[in-house]
Amino acid sequence: MTMRSGISAYDTWQVGRVSVMDAVVAVASKPGVLAHGGTDAPAGMLAEAVATRRPSAAGARSLHLGSGNGLVPAVAQAVGFAPLAVDRYAANAEATRRSLLASASPGAHDGQSPPAVFHTACVNPHVEAGSCELVTIRIPTDKLGVQLAVVEAFRALAVGGRCLLAGANDEGAKPAARLLEQLFGAARLENQHSGCRLLLAVKTADVPADGVLATTPWLDCETFFEQPVVVGGTAFVLATRPGVFSWEHLDEASRVLADLMRVDDGETVLDLGCGAGILGVVAARLTPAGSVCMLDADADAIRCAQRTARMAQCLNVDVRASDVCSAVAGRAFDVVVSNPPFHLGKGTDLAIPRAFIEQAHAHLHRGGRLYLVANRTLPYERLIAEVFGEVRMAHDGRRFKVIGGVRRA
């Protein structure tokens, strides 16, 4: 079968020039990247604060947690830091890499290592303790994620190093400020506007002010929350970590889809946006003579899904980090199952589910089936009808619906 060719709107990168104080940098973006089509006030505050600082020596390291579109590390690079950037989401990590390359002076990376950008939620393996002069944190929206970022920042900073943290008040900026004070001993408000705060803390000693906070078990990348679940009468153990979708319990939508999806033995299955992997392992049990490929943009979701598959002893499963279907270019499947994300930041963004539906169609064999679960208020029927030419309703519940289509051509 020939795959559809062409680049969709979701896959189209744009690069624009941005002035921050005296620094002019390039910022790459596309749908799925933080602040695409707009601005992110906390990142802007961090960029302005970084633009006013200079490294104490050439090549001094800066670390950027939650690098987003790469604006903040690009400004750090422009003022003389050697930036290390971390983001757990594939599109953001790729945007940061492109922004740093486009912002570098001509020939800066010729014959040298590419920009140090890590698609990961685990900083420890990549950044030595006490190796950074500056750390910036664009706070995540989950409480444990903020705690982990603050602890990672303290660990990575040299004594005398500075931590800049920014976020919106309704994302938890005030509790994040208290975490900074607990660990660093003090934190001060540097700026606030547009419902956002920028805070500064200085590392004054190797030992954190709150030793209990600094021993959070999630710093160990091999620590997982393992929860027994029963789906379709079969027992599984789901491995999760903070920040992974519905990490503390099996979400109801995934359970509904797992019970309803039809997979015949010998069929190939794509679990698109796999999270911790429950749909993939259920599908693997349904098609022992077939195979299952699980994809997710979240670096920790990939590690969790791999562990979930190992504990389920599913040997016919392949788990890959992917921005939608980028990791399976040229492949086609008999069945695609998906519980797609529809939040980008605090809002609802249909660009991502649209990309899921378009790429699901492109990666199905003729006659292949899509099963998609969603909140019943979301207008996915229109998107599916536009791409598949039809909509099939498998379940219409009080909270969730399972819809899909069959690829006809």
Side-chain angles (χ1 to χ4, degrees):
M1 172 187 167
T2 302
M3 302 293 294
R4 291 196 308 177
S5 60
I7 299 176
S8 70
Y10 184 86
D11 297 315
T12 303
W13 286 94
Q14 301 168 352
V15 179
R17 309 299 290 186
V18 178
S19 297
V20 182
M21 310 295 279
D22 294 330
V24 179
V25 299
V27 175
S29 187
K30 74 173 188 70
V33 173
L34 179 68
H36 176 70
T39 58
D40 180 58
M45 296 167 80
L46 286 170
E48 289 179 0
V50 170
T52 64
R53 288 164 167 79
R54 295 295 182 272
S56 61
R61 282 183 166 186
S62 61
L63 172 63
H64 307 278
L65 305 178
S67 61
N69 59 16
L71 171 65
V72 180
V75 171
Q77 177 178 262
V79 300
F81 284 100
L84 296 87
V86 173
D87 204 289
R88 69 185 297 155
Y89 297 106
N92 288 344
E94 178 61 16
T96 297
R97 187 188 70 82
R98 289 171 179 256
S99 295
L100 287 171
L101 283 172
S103 299
S105 56
H109 293 288
D110 290 352
Q112 299 182 20
S113 300
V117 180
F118 303 103
H119 174 218
T120 183
C122 296
V123 181
N124 271 341
H126 307 288
V127 181
E128 296 177 2
S131 63
C132 298
E133 187 172 295
L134 173 69
V135 176
T136 66
I137 303 172
R138 170 53 175 100
I139 65 169
T141 54
D142 62 295
K143 181 179 178 180
L144 277 173
V146 177
Q147 178 179 316
L148 186 58
V150 171
V151 174
E152 291 278 23
F154 185 92
R155 188 193 67 84
L157 280 170
V159 173
R162 296 170 180 262
C163 176
L164 290 164
L165 177 149
N169 292 332
D170 60 3
E171 292 174 328
K174 291 181 181 179
R178 291 193 289 272
L179 282 171
L180 277 181
E181 291 173 352
Q182 283 179 260
L183 206 61
F184 286 82
R188 73 169 185 256
L189 181 66
E190 290 281 281
N191 194 4
Q192 59 179 332
H193 64 77
S194 305
C196 302
R197 292 173 174 244
L198 172 71
L199 297 117
L200 170 68
V202 180
K203 183 173 178 176
T204 59
D206 278 322
V207 180
D210 187 330
V212 175
L213 178 62
T215 58
T216 172
W218 304 113
L219 278 174
D220 179 357
C221 297
E222 297 308 313
T223 297
F224 293 85
F225 176 48
E226 296 181 353
Q227 50 178 310
V229 298
V230 177
V231 179
T234 302
F236 299 94
V237 177
L238 202 59
T240 64
R241 279 178 60 89
V244 175
F245 171 67
S246 191
W247 79 278
E248 292 180 292
H249 62 276
L250 176 60
D251 76 293
E252 183 183 342
S254 292
R255 183 183 293 279
V256 168
L257 179 52
D259 287 338
L260 284 171
M261 64 187 185
R262 181 175 64 82
V263 178
D264 297 328
D265 193 11
E267 289 190 312
T268 56
V269 181
L270 177 63
D271 180 359
L272 188 50
C274 65
I278 188 62
L279 293 177
V281 294
V282 170
R285 290 287 182 86
L286 294 172
T287 180
S291 64
V292 176
C293 183
M294 299 193 216
L295 304 180
D296 206 287
D298 180 351
D300 247 9
I302 292 304
R303 298 193 317 114
C304 290
Q306 289 169 337
R307 189 177 182 90
T308 296
R310 284 197 301 270
M311 289 190 293
Q313 299 183 330
C314 293
L315 303 181
N316 58 338
V317 168
D318 178 26
V319 187
R320 302 183 184 187
S322 185
D323 180 9
V324 192
C325 289
S326 62
V328 289
R331 291 183 60 186
F333 301 84
D334 298 307
V335 180
V336 175
V337 299
S338 185
N339 182 359
F342 58 89
H343 289 297
L344 189 60
K346 300 185 291 296
T348 298
D349 190 331
L350 294 182
I352 297 176
R354 175 180 286 277
F356 271 53
I357 292 165
E358 290 176 345
Q359 293 194 29
H361 184 271
H363 287 272
L364 280 169
H365 290 297
R366 184 173 298 136
R369 310 179 300 283
L370 167 67
Y371 295 96
L372 181 149
V373 66
N375 186 304
R376 70 184 319 277
T377 63
L378 292 170
Y380 289 174
E381 288 88 344
R382 175 175 55 82
L383 300 180
I384 291 174
E386 289 174 4
V387 176
F388 281 80
E390 66 167 1
V391 179
R392 293 192 173 189
M393 178 72 71
H395 173 75
D396 188 12
R398 184 177 60 85
R399 295 183 59 204
F400 301 104
K401 58 192 174 185
V402 177
I403 52 180
V406 175
R407 178 164 181 171
R408 297 300 184 187

